[in-house]
Amino acid sequence: MKIRAIITGATGMVGEGVMHECLQQPDVEQVLLINRKPSGVSHPKVKEIIHKDFFDLSAIESQLSGYNACFFCLGVSSVGMKEDEYRHLTYDLTLHVAQTLSRLNPDMTFGYISGAATDSIEKGSSMWARVKGATENALMRLPFKKAYMFRPGFMKPTPGLKNTLVYYKYINWLYPIGRALYPAGFSTLQELAQAMIKSASIGYEKPVLEVKDIVKLANR
């Protein structure tokens, strides 16, 4: 199956890594980037829409049909935020975009970047984990063909990309040690991207993918 993918968050580290892998894969024939600011990417596969307000997609709805995958990599850090603010920018925003896409593309596979230790029962003490858990649960109830929740841990960045977070150059030395001692918590960004692409092309047996599932699917 040829993949026609919408990617959000391509100006961030994870989204750029997913986009980069999509451009390398022959199974991905089209990529639509929806960004708040230009990515600077020029490629025959890529179309880019600059759109500031993800809570109101009415102006671009006509351009969002005809896609069979969405790799949702847009997100904010919970640091310094109160729960209602973080929920608005995480749960509300993600669900608004997802509801629109599920209506326009019922044959779509939706992939969501969540995080390790996300709280599926939404009852734990960690605010961000509860909100992410609620977001995952709501996404899995939408009428997509398939919806997959990806929970990466420590990710080794893809070399050469411009949006890699600065602090990774100080902590990258941890990756080979962590992968050897605790493989359930360590993957590469390339593996995450490959797993997202394969979730759309061949699927996976579970809707929630922890790190070990991400690595397994990437190498399938």
Side-chain angles (χ1 to χ4, degrees):
M1 183 186 76
K2 293 295 184 181
I3 297 172
R4 302 178 301 281
I6 293 173
I7 301 177
T8 66
T11 56
M13 173 178 152
V14 175
E16 183 187 25
V18 173
M19 176 195 66
H20 175 78
E21 200 62 31
C22 283
L23 300 185
Q24 315 305 311
Q25 295 293 331
D27 286 347
V28 181
E29 65 178 9
Q30 294 179 34
V31 174
L32 174 65
L33 307 179
I34 309 175
N35 290 322
R36 293 191 179 102
K37 60 183 181 180
S39 65
V41 174
S42 178
H43 191 280
K45 290 184 183 181
V46 172
K47 175 183 177 182
E48 184 171 32
I49 297 174
I50 305 302
H51 187 73
K52 299 291 186 181
D53 186 3
F54 279 70
F55 289 100
D56 182 4
L57 300 175
S58 56
I60 64 170
E61 258 197 34
S62 62
Q63 302 178 68
L64 304 181
S65 297
Y67 293 89
N68 57 17
C70 176
F71 304 136
F72 196 93
C73 307
L74 187 65
V76 295
S77 169
S78 65
V79 176
M81 283 193 186
K82 294 184 177 179
E83 183 163 352
D84 57 348
E85 181 185 10
Y86 182 66
R87 185 180 179 90
H88 183 59
L89 294 175
T90 301
Y91 180 95
D92 294 343
L93 186 149
T94 304
L95 265 292
H96 179 74
V97 174
Q99 286 164 348
T100 300
L101 293 179
S102 67
R103 172 169 51 83
L104 297 173
N105 303 284
D107 199 40
M108 174 175 277
T109 296
F110 191 92
Y112 175 62
I113 299 294
S114 187
T118 290
D119 179 8
S120 294
I121 62 171
E122 307 173 35
K123 301 292 185 182
S125 59
S126 174
M127 178 271 283
W128 76 264
R130 290 195 307 271
V131 173
K132 283 283 194 179
T135 307
E136 287 186 352
N137 291 336
L139 288 171
M140 289 187 284
R141 291 192 292 265
L142 291 180
F144 287 112
K145 177 183 176 181
K146 294 283 186 180
Y148 295 101
M149 311 298 118
F150 293 84
R151 296 181 174 182
F154 185 106
M155 283 183 292
K156 181 182 178 182
T158 301
L161 301 188
K162 65 180 181 180
N163 293 313
T164 300
L165 297 172
V166 173
Y167 63 78
Y168 270 91
K169 68 181 180 181
Y170 301 108
I171 64 173
N172 256 346
W173 63 270
L174 290 170
Y175 176 78
I177 300 171
R179 183 78 176 234
L181 298 179
Y182 183 55
F186 288 75
S187 72
T188 66
L189 177 51
Q190 183 182 40
E191 286 170 330
L192 173 65
Q194 289 175 344
M196 295 191 85
I197 294 168
K198 288 181 180 179
S199 74
S201 62
I202 63 175
Y204 194 64
E205 53 267 25
K206 298 194 297 185
V208 177
L209 287 82
E210 305 287 355
V211 173
K212 62 182 181 179
D213 300 297
I214 290 168
V215 173
K216 179 180 177 181
L217 181 54
N219 291 289
R220 182 166 288 178

